[in-house]
Structures are given as C-alpha cells and as structure tokens.
Amino acid sequence: RAGGASAAMEQERECRVLSIQSHVVRGYVGNKAATFPLQVLGFEVDTVNSVQFSNHTGYAHWKGQVLNSDELHELYDGLKLNEVNRYDYVLTGYTRDTSFLAMVVDIVQELKQQNSNLVYVCDPVMGDKWNGEGSMYVPKDLLPVYRDKVVPVADIITPNQFEAELLTGRKIHTEKDALEVMDMLHAMGPETVVITSSDLQAPLGNDYLIALGSHRKTKADGTKMTQRIRMESPKVDAVFVGTGDLFAAMLLAWTHKHPNNLKVACEKTVSAMQHVLQRTIKSAKAQAGEGNKPNSAQLELRMVQSKKDIENPEIIVKATVL
C-alpha cells in the first residue's frame, strides 16, 4: 500500500513544460539551451521546434527550416487528439513571425482553460542595446503582438532593458525608472517581471551588470504585495548566444521550486548562469589559443559540462532586496 501511495505522490508531482522555441543541430540556443537544464532539474519537457537550423545565425553560415503557424497548430492538434495536452508551464523565446506568435497565444489560452494554474513564461525577444543604442532584430510588427496579446497572458516575463522600454513606451535612465517600468509591466498582466540586463550603473562598479526583479502577489484579502530585488553579476567579456534562453528556463525551474521567494529563485538562476559562462569562456579561450578571439563554435555554452552547477548552483551572486 505504502509503495502505491508514494508512487501516486510521485505521479502527482510530475511537472510538464511545453517549450516552443528554435532548435539547432549544433550548439545551444532555444530549445537546446532550455531542455537540458529543465530535465536536469526534474521537469518533463515537450518541445516544439519553431525552426530547425544547422546552428545559430551568428555563424558565417546556417541552413534549415522554419515552422509556420499552420504546422504549429497541426502538432498541437495531435497532442489534443490524444488528450496529452495538459501542461503546468509554457515557455517561449525568439519568434520572428506574427501569425506564429498569435497562434502561440491561442494555444496558451486554451491550455489555461484546461489548467487554471498553468504558468506561461515568456522571454519577449525583440532586440537589444549595443553601445547604448537600442535596435530591434525582429520585424517591427511583432511589438504590438507582444504588447497587446502575449504579455497580457504571460505570468513571468524576462525582457532586457530595451525590450522593457519597447513594451511600455518608457525609457529607463535610473533604478527608479526601472521599478516604475516593472510596475507598468505588472499592470499589463505578468506577476513576475525580471529585467535580465540593463545599462544602469552598478553599485559594485563598471565591471558588473545589473538585473532587476519584481514579483507581485495578490493576497487572499485582495491586497497586493510586491517583492523587488537587484542583482549584480560580473560582466564576462564575450558575446554568448543562448544565454537568455538558458536564463528563462532556469528561472522557470527555480520559481517553481521557490514560488514565493523571487530572491532565492533569482540567486540560483543568476549564479548558475555565471558558472556556465565562466566555464564557457575558459574553455573557448583555451580552444582559440593565446591571443586569438574565440569564434562562434568555441563560444557555444558548456551546458553538459555544467550539469552539477545547473542542478545545485553554488550561490555566487547575491540579490539585494529593494
């Protein structure tokens, strides 16, 4: 009997993620960057590959196929017909196509009707800042879809500073601006907002990058509580690809394990990121050889080698509660 009960408990606790992201044959971006850490942390992951490319587009060459919204619908339909379309989480990242994104929203809404506790984690990938200048690297018509359709159904969003500014139409010059922008984003729908990187001046100095988090919870009596944190991570001098995808996946996992403690969830996420990046840059420099700049292939995240750090990260970045 006892065995049966614990098996039932085990069954009960299974947590399943539908991850709709890009796939690469070689390297770690999109689903390749998200699936392994989630599985290591105990989640079942069902992946829909929005593209299938040979490698990420930062290389000199890439080849592959793009999934359109009809094909996405067809895959989802297959799950539905077998009645295996029940999820605890949906995770999405980089998308280039408005109709594909609109279809994702339809799927999320349908899944939320089946499971009102479903959490949608969205990285609204639209662009970034280089040398202080922001620019979009997806078509401009994605912005209104993210702002008006996606963010309102999302529970956790992980924009960078530029994306947070795009979504709210408000520039961030100070930490106070950033907190107000996060409040505006909460008002649009999500309970948890993490601005993953910013060009704000870090108290620890120029060698550090600031990330900010905000979690707003409505208590049983209707009052709202907001927890806000700041994290400062050492800058790593290299351009990595797939870090945002890894960040969103680990944030999903750690907020699941620490549902009312954004501080701990973010410390574990950001610390694990640091371990992965430090291992990656060390390995890339060794491969490139003294005085040479590592190339895209050498800078692929050392994901498998970082399994222990992903599973049980030593906290090396502490969050400050604001």
Side-chain angles (χ1 to χ4, degrees), residues 50-287:
S50 54
V51 306
Q52 167 163 271
F53 285 170
S54 52
N55 44 267
H56 73 68
T57 57
Y59 284 74
H61 310 279
W62 73 91
K63 299 273 188 196
Q65 300 81 36
V66 177
L67 194 75
N68 66 36
S69 53
D70 291 343
E71 292 163 332
L72 168 61
H73 187 257
E74 193 179 338
L75 289 172
Y76 177 69
D77 232 22
L79 296 172
K80 204 157 104 176
L81 289 168
N82 290 310
E83 296 179 9
V84 290
N85 60 333
R86 200 180 157 77
Y87 291 96
D88 303 286
Y89 287 88
V90 175
L91 175 63
T92 64
Y94 179 75
T95 305
R96 286 195 65 83
D97 179 67
T98 49
S99 63
F100 191 90
L101 199 51
M103 178 62 67
V104 167
V105 173
D106 290 346
I107 289 172
V108 169
Q109 285 174 317
E110 187 169 314
L111 291 172
K112 282 192 168 195
Q113 280 171 348
Q114 288 197 61
N115 174 14
S116 59
N117 294 323
L118 179 129
V119 173
Y120 173 26
V121 180
C122 169
D123 185 3
V125 183
M126 289 182 281
D128 208 343
K129 290 189 178 187
W130 286 274
N131 309 323
E133 278 305 300
S135 66
M136 287 181 74
Y137 42 61
V138 299
K140 299 250 186 297
D141 55 1
L142 262 79
L143 173 56
V145 183
Y146 270 116
R147 188 187 56 221
D148 305 334
K149 295 201 169 117
V150 181
V151 173
V153 296
D155 301 283
I156 298 176
I157 57 169
T158 58
N160 58 33
Q161 178 181 333
F162 178 63
E163 290 155 350
E165 291 174 343
L166 281 177
L167 289 168
T168 56
R170 166 115 193 250
K171 287 269 185 274
I172 295 173
H173 303 290
T174 63
E175 191 172 280
K176 183 174 175 289
D177 292 341
L179 297 179
E180 286 169 11
V181 162
M182 290 197 291
D183 282 344
M184 290 168 78
L185 290 167
H186 282 311
M188 291 162 77
E191 273 197 354
T192 303
V193 177
V194 177
I195 297 179
T196 54
S197 63
S198 70
D199 48 23
L200 294 173
Q201 181 64 45
L204 287 173
N206 289 337
D207 296 335
Y208 287 81
L209 200 60
I210 279 196
L212 295 161
S214 179
H215 177 63
R216 176 171 292 177
K217 219 173 100 96
T218 307
K219 297 203 309 202
D221 63 2
T223 54
K224 291 191 189 316
M225 272 190 45
T226 308
Q227 182 190 15
R228 293 182 167 138
I229 55 154
R230 177 201 320 122
M231 286 159 298
E232 300 174 74
S233 315
K235 285 180 182 169
V236 184
D237 182 30
V239 176
F240 299 102
V241 181
T243 48
D245 309 321
L246 174 61
F247 186 98
M250 290 195 300
L251 187 68
L252 181 163
W254 290 117
T255 51
H256 176 78
K257 292 175 192 292
H258 303 282
N260 293 312
N261 197 334
L262 185 64
K263 180 181 188 290
V264 171
C266 284
E267 285 175 345
K268 290 191 174 180
T269 300
V270 175
S271 294
M273 290 290 312
Q274 276 299 314
H275 292 299
V276 174
L277 295 183
Q278 299 297 347
R279 182 174 283 105
T280 300
I281 190 75
K282 203 173 144 187
S283 154
K285 283 179 171 166
Q287 287 176 66

Side-chain angles (χ1 to χ4, degrees), residues 18-22 31 46-51 67 72 75-76 79 100:
L18 177 64
S19 181
I20 305 174
Q21 299 194 61
S22 39
N31 272 333
D46 294 0
T47 53
V48 173
N49 297 328
S50 54
V51 306
L67 194 75
L72 168 61
L75 289 172
Y76 177 69
L79 296 172
F100 191 90

